């Protein structure tokens, strides 16, 4: 399964988190995602997500002049978006805990050799 | 102010995206918004040496569909466009008829023409969507665009044949009525040309009829008139297409 497929649904939450940290525009978000290691995701993927989140009222956008010249569209979280981020974090923490414990219990000591074991954090 | 020009590949992607979304019935304002946002992104990405694949992924078509799915179809906008396009297409036909004399239409002809216009428009938009989202060669693009034109032409010929066999009530207009309808039709063609930013309908109209009209005042026989008129028509349309093509290349 590719990283992109696994990321579906999670990327929304990541974007909400990035936007909450600081009002930002599309290119910036893509850069941040890539800095965090999501470089297999094509950068344009964020726009359909942003369009949906805007329609659902999770984010708002405003066009501002930039130092480089062209007008950029800056996104920020709404009250609803903040709530959605909180819900996402609860869901994610639960998911992470379950997935980690499955991996830990089921694969530990069974000689998984494809390198995934090294990324599992032991609690 | 820093100026960066988009690469041809990115430019084409943005143009194709606009065409795809437009022919999918999306709102003009929203199309502009996402196209501009992506253009900004591509400019910035290119300045940092990234390829277009890094942004839109390996399948531009899939990406266009993703974006399209997040946009609502704007039926209100279409309620404005469809009649404008249909009436313009019909106006074109009416003006042609007017040059042959007063107007006279059977019910079947009128209904058939409305259907023809709708079919023609639907076909062209489907073809637009196809060529915009699929990477096709210039030749294939041309042939695909030709397809809906051929199909609706065949429909039109069938309509004329059926109309001559089955008689339906005919509406006749006198000279005054014909001229009024002609003027309305002409203003629609002009309006459409301004809206669509193309003179193609006017050029074809003039190229088809003006030579024959002027030649009818000369002392040439009927056959030479027909041949000379046809040659001038082809030359005029050819010149217009050549000029359009040059303009398009000049833009790049």
């Amino acid at each position: 399964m590719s990283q992109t497929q696994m990321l579906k649904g999670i990327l929304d939450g990541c974007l909400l988190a990035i936007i909450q940290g600081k009002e930002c525009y599309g290119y910036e978000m893509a850069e941040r995602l890539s800095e965090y290691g999501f470089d297999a995701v094509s950068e344009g993927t964020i726009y359909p997500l942003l369009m949906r989140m805007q329609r659902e009222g999770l984010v708002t956008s405003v066009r501002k002049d930039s130092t480089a010249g062209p007008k950029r569209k800056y996104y920020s979280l709404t009250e609803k978006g903040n709530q959605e981020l909180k819900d996402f974090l609860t869901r994610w923490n639960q998911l992470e805990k379950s997935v980690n414990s499955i991996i830990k219990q089921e694969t530990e000591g069974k000689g998984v050799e494809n390198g995934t074991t090294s990324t599992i954090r032991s609690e | 102010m820093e100026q960066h020009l988009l690469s041809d590949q990115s430019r084409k992607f943005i143009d194709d995206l606009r065409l795809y979304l437009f022919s999918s019935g999306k709102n003009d304002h929203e199309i502009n918004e996402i196209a501009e946002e992506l253009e900004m992104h591509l400019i910035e990405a290119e300045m940092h040496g990234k390829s277009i694949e890094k942004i839109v992924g390996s399948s531009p078509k899939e990406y266009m569909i993703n974006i399209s799915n997040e946009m609502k179809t704007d039926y209100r906008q279409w309620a404005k466009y469809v009649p404008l396009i249909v009436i313009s297409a019909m106006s074109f036909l009416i003006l042609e008829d007017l040059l042959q004399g007063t107007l006279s239409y059977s019910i079947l002809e009128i209904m058939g023409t409305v259907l023809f216009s709708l079919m023609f428009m639907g076909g062209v938009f489907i073809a637009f969507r196809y060529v915009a989202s699929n990477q096709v060669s210039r030749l294939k693009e041309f042939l695909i665009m030709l397809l809906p034109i051929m199909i609706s032409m065949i429909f039109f010929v069938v309509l004329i044949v059926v109309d001559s066999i089955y008689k339906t009530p005919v509406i006749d207009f006198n000279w005054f009525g014909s001229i009024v309808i002609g003027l309305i039709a002409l203003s629609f063609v002009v309006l459409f040309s301004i809206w669509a930013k193309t003179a193609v309908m006017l050029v074809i109209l003039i190229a088809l009829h003006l030579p024959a009209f002027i030649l009818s005042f000369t002392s040439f026989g009927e056959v030479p008139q027909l041949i000379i008129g046809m040659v001038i028509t082809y030359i005029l349309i050819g010149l217009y297409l050549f000029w359009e093509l040059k303009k398009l290349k000049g833009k790049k």
Side-chain angles (χ1 to χ4, degrees):
Chain A
M1 201 193 287
S2 74
Q3 196 189 33
T4 323
Q5 269 172 302
M6 280 183 85
L7 267 173
K8 275 196 178 135
I10 297 174
L11 212 50
D12 290 50
C14 295
L15 284 180
L16 286 174
I18 289 175
I19 299 169
Q20 191 212 28
K22 177 175 150 281
E23 183 190 56
C24 54
Y25 63 99
Y27 188 79
E28 226 176 341
M29 287 179 221
E31 289 274 87
R32 298 286 295 282
L33 280 175
S34 147
E35 276 165 27
Y36 283 113
F38 291 133
D39 41 9
V41 181
S42 50
E43 295 183 2
T45 313
I46 60 173
Y47 292 104
L49 300 180
L50 287 170
M51 286 163 98
R52 200 184 61 239
M53 293 198 290
Q54 184 154 23
R55 200 177 59 237
E56 288 171 354
L58 304 178
V59 297
T60 53
S61 66
V62 57
R63 287 161 68 90
K64 284 185 197 171
D65 286 324
S66 67
T67 46
K71 269 194 158 73
R72 284 170 180 155
K73 207 167 155 187
Y74 282 83
Y75 292 87
S76 51
L77 281 198
T78 60
E79 194 45 51
K80 201 175 163 193
N82 255 316
Q83 188 54 47
E84 177 61 28
L85 178 59
K86 274 186 200 132
D87 295 346
F88 169 78
L89 292 177
T90 320
R91 286 196 302 273
W92 171 252
N93 284 331
Q94 185 57 46
L95 190 69
E96 186 195 30
K97 216 187 279 169
S98 310
V99 173
N100 275 340
S101 54
I102 288 177
I103 293 172
K104 200 172 173 214
Q105 296 289 319
E106 301 294 329
T107 63
E108 202 159 73
K110 288 181 184 169
V112 178
E113 278 161 12
N114 56 12
T116 48
T117 41
S118 60
T119 60
I120 299 170
R121 270 179 287 150
S122 50
E123 285 170 282
Chain B
M1 195 166 116
E2 211 170 332
Q3 275 290 351
H4 176 88
L5 286 175
L6 272 184
S7 65
D8 281 353
Q9 205 189 359
S10 297
R11 181 80 269 150
K12 185 172 184 319
F13 173 76
I14 295 288
D15 289 344
D16 280 348
L17 177 73
R18 279 178 187 274
L19 185 61
Y20 182 80
L21 294 175
F22 173 72
S23 44
S24 302
K26 306 301 180 190
N27 178 281
D28 275 353
H29 176 74
E30 279 181 50
I31 293 174
N32 276 334
E33 207 158 303
I34 183 65
E36 271 168 27
E37 197 175 17
L38 270 173
E39 199 176 328
M40 288 301 125
H41 192 118
L42 284 167
I43 288 174
E44 207 154 342
E46 279 182 0
M47 287 198 295
H48 290 92
K50 291 177 190 167
S51 72
I52 185 168
E53 284 83 19
K54 183 88 187 79
I55 288 87
V56 302
S58 52
S59 163
K61 181 183 182 176
E62 213 172 285
Y63 187 57
M64 285 183 200
I65 294 171
N66 274 342
I67 292 203
S68 178
N69 285 342
E70 294 305 331
M71 290 165 85
K72 273 186 294 185
T73 306
D74 188 347
Y75 294 105
R76 275 185 58 188
Q77 177 172 289
W78 280 85
K80 276 187 289 180
Y81 287 173
V82 172
L84 182 63
I85 295 172
V86 170
I87 294 172
S88 305
M90 286 176 70
S91 300
F92 187 79
L93 299 169
I94 289 170
L95 284 173
E96 272 192 11
D97 294 340
L98 194 62
L99 289 163
Q100 323 287 331
T102 54
L103 299 173
S104 155
Y105 296 110
S106 72
I107 300 288
L108 187 75
E109 237 179 323
I110 294 173
M111 278 165 35
T113 309
V114 173
L115 206 69
F116 162 80
S117 310
L118 284 171
M119 220 172 92
F120 178 73
M121 197 182 73
V124 168
F125 274 73
I126 291 169
F128 268 166
R129 276 178 55 150
Y130 185 84
V131 295
S133 61
N134 289 279
Q135 258 53 47
V136 291
S137 67
R138 285 265 164 225
L139 179 70
K140 226 177 138 189
E141 201 174 296
F142 177 73
L143 292 176
I144 289 166
M145 291 308 295
L146 212 60
L147 212 64
I149 298 170
M150 296 300 282
I151 293 171
S152 29
M153 282 300 161
I154 292 168
F155 174 83
F156 201 63
V157 171
V158 171
L159 177 73
I160 291 170
V161 173
V162 172
D163 187 56
S164 66
I165 298 170
Y166 296 99
K167 293 292 167 206
T168 48
V170 176
I171 305 169
D172 281 305
F173 295 96
N174 57 17
W175 263 111
F176 180 70
S178 298
I179 286 173
V180 170
I181 293 177
L183 283 176
I184 296 173
L186 187 66
S187 44
F188 260 105
V189 172
V190 172
L191 219 103
F192 178 84
S193 301
I194 294 169
W195 172 68
K197 294 193 186 77
T198 169
V200 67
M201 267 168 79
L202 288 168
V203 169
I204 290 178
L205 212 60
I206 290 169
L208 276 177
H209 303 291
L210 198 65
F213 186 68
I214 291 171
L215 283 168
S216 68
F217 293 109
T218 62
S219 55
F220 289 116
E222 205 171 308
V223 176
Q225 270 194 25
L226 216 67
I227 295 171
I228 296 171
M230 214 151 78
V231 170
I232 297 177
T233 297
Y234 281 122
I235 290 175
L236 283 178
I237 294 178
L239 276 177
Y240 174 73
L241 290 179
F242 179 72
W243 178 71
E244 279 283 319
L245 208 74
K246 248 187 106 173
K247 209 171 64 174
L248 213 71
K249 278 200 178 141
K251 226 168 69 178
K252 277 186 178 170

